[in-house]
Amino acid sequence: MRSILDAHVAEPGLAVVEIAAADDATAYAIQHLLAEHRATARADRTTREPGEPGIRLRFFDLRQERDA
């Protein structure tokens, strides 16, 4: 997985969220739960690192709470 850039966390409120899960469905379900409460730039694919268990999903939080 690519490194987190300084720009991704350059200001208060910005965050990078990385999920490690056993399968794609679990990772996307967690991303969906978080996105219901925060504005996020959602990921559309997971990655698998050779020699590492499970998959990874990374997405960005955009500092804005979603309207209830």
Side-chain angles (χ1 to χ4, degrees), residues 33-56:
L33 288 172
L34 293 171
E36 286 181 343
H37 301 286
R38 300 283 298 184
T40 61
R42 294 184 184 194
D44 59 359
R45 67 181 178 89
T46 59
T47 59
R48 185 176 300 276
E49 297 292 331
E52 294 288 325
I55 55 91
R56 302 289 185 272

Side-chain angles (χ1 to χ4, degrees), residues 1 4 8 13 15 20 32-33 37 42-43 48 57 59 63:
M1 186 162 277
I4 297 170
H8 294 148
H32 177 75
L33 288 172
H37 301 286
R42 294 184 184 194
R48 185 176 300 276
L57 177 73
F59 61 99
R63 291 183 282 179

